[in-house]
Amino acid sequence: MEKIIRKLAILWCKLDDAIDHFFRRSSMSSNSARLYFLIVCIAVYGLVLMLFSSQVSIGQKLGYYFGYLFIGILLIILFATYYEKKRIKDSRLYPFQYISVKWETVNYELLKFDKDELIDFNLLLNRRHVQKKINFREKNKSKEGANHRMLFSMFHVLIQDGIEHFTDVQKKIFFEMLRDSFLMNRKPINYDTLKSSFSNWKGDLSTEKGTAYEQYWKNVFSLK
């Protein structure tokens, strides 16, 4: 029984992948040629079935044919709409892949986020936009301003492969995400200073200070 279920599941996955590939390619295409081609295939297939069916009258054949054609076109439109909706939603997500965080092992006292901020932070780790900006409370030792390097280090341990080797395009999106998602001790992030702060953070990455920042966040999220 398990082998049958597994084989059926594999076949289902292949069918789902084929449908996904077709409609994603169609929705991203500048024209609807693929959709029209599929509609024509359905129409021709229905016509062949109608011509080779000898058990019903011409009127019934036509009724069945147009009913079949209507349902086929409706299903195509529904599938195409679903995948276009999915494409639009995916385009709204941040393009960063995060490691898996076990929330039951997180040191919330060190994280310093309240309950609402944790909800938004969880949205962020699922690549979604926050509903309300998260207040990042880690301060610099020398001044009241928040510690950008600590913020960079947190994402360095959370984003797969880190943020050290981000391209200019990735850094731009990353900085925009920080600006739109965080406050620094209740003050808006100064977007114009992020580039220089990031360069300074990279310069300290292999130093004792940079290692300490990274280890701090690994302890917070119980990472090895």
Side-chain angles (χ1 to χ4, degrees):
M1 181 63 72
E2 290 182 2
K3 290 183 179 179
I4 294 175
I5 293 174
R6 179 169 178 77
K7 287 183 179 179
L8 289 174
I10 292 173
L11 289 174
W12 193 348
C13 285
K14 288 182 178 179
L15 176 62
D16 187 64
D17 288 342
I19 294 173
D20 182 76
H21 175 75
F22 180 87
F23 282 105
R24 280 184 181 275
R25 290 290 298 273
S26 296
S27 64
M28 290 189 297
S29 177
S30 59
N31 55 63
S32 300
R34 292 184 181 87
L35 296 180
Y36 292 143
F37 174 75
L38 189 57
I39 290 173
V40 170
C41 288
I42 290 176
V44 171
Y45 179 72
L47 186 62
V48 171
L49 289 179
M50 183 186 74
L51 292 176
F52 282 93
S53 177
S54 58
Q55 304 297 321
V56 294
S57 65
I58 295 296
Q60 288 176 315
K61 286 182 179 180
L62 290 173
Y64 290 150
Y65 175 72
F66 285 111
Y68 158 82
L69 190 61
F70 173 77
I71 293 173
I73 293 173
L74 182 61
L75 287 175
I76 290 173
I77 292 173
L78 288 175
F79 273 113
T81 302
Y82 168 78
Y83 282 101
E84 177 65 11
K85 181 267 298 180
K86 191 175 181 181
R87 185 189 67 81
I88 292 172
K89 289 195 70 174
D90 288 345
S91 69
R92 295 175 179 174
L93 299 177
Y94 292 117
F96 306 116
Q97 297 296 330
Y98 293 90
I99 64 174
S100 179
V101 174
K102 296 181 179 180
W103 292 102
E104 65 274 11
T105 64
V106 172
N107 188 326
Y108 293 103
E109 185 177 350
L110 293 178
L111 188 57
K112 302 176 184 177
F113 293 160
D114 62 30
K115 290 183 178 180
D116 290 335
E117 289 168 345
L118 283 172
I119 293 173
D120 282 307
F121 188 59
N122 192 36
L123 288 175
L124 199 59
L125 295 191
N126 281 282
R127 304 170 56 205
R128 298 171 61 186
H129 291 252
V130 299
Q131 297 177 341
K132 186 178 179 181
K133 289 186 178 182
I134 302 164
N135 184 32
F136 192 74
R137 298 173 175 84
E138 294 292 340
K139 296 180 180 179
N140 281 322
K141 293 181 179 180
S142 59
K143 55 184 179 180
E144 288 298 313
N147 195 329
H148 290 85
R149 298 186 188 191
M150 284 289 279
L151 185 61
F152 295 146
S153 294
M154 181 178 74
F155 281 100
H156 187 55
V157 303
L158 290 176
I159 291 178
Q160 290 182 10
D161 301 323
I163 64 174
E164 179 185 3
H165 301 295
F166 270 2
T167 64
D168 289 340
V169 173
Q170 288 175 312
K171 280 190 286 188
K172 182 177 183 296
I173 298 172
F174 179 62
F175 294 158
E176 289 173 351
M177 182 191 75
L178 296 183
R179 179 195 61 194
D180 297 338
S181 304
F182 288 93
L183 297 172
M184 306 299 278
N185 283 325
R186 302 193 179 282
K187 295 180 181 180
I189 285 181
N190 186 346
Y191 182 84
D192 295 333
T193 65
L194 288 178
K195 187 175 181 179
S196 59
S197 296
F198 188 84
S199 296
N200 292 333
W201 169 81
K202 280 186 65 175
D204 286 340
L205 196 56
S206 58
T207 66
E208 185 177 346
K209 181 192 296 184
T211 303
Y213 285 161
E214 187 174 342
Q215 188 59 50
Y216 176 88
W217 291 114
K218 286 182 177 180
N219 293 338
V220 171
F221 297 106
S222 298
L223 303 174
K224 296 181 179 179

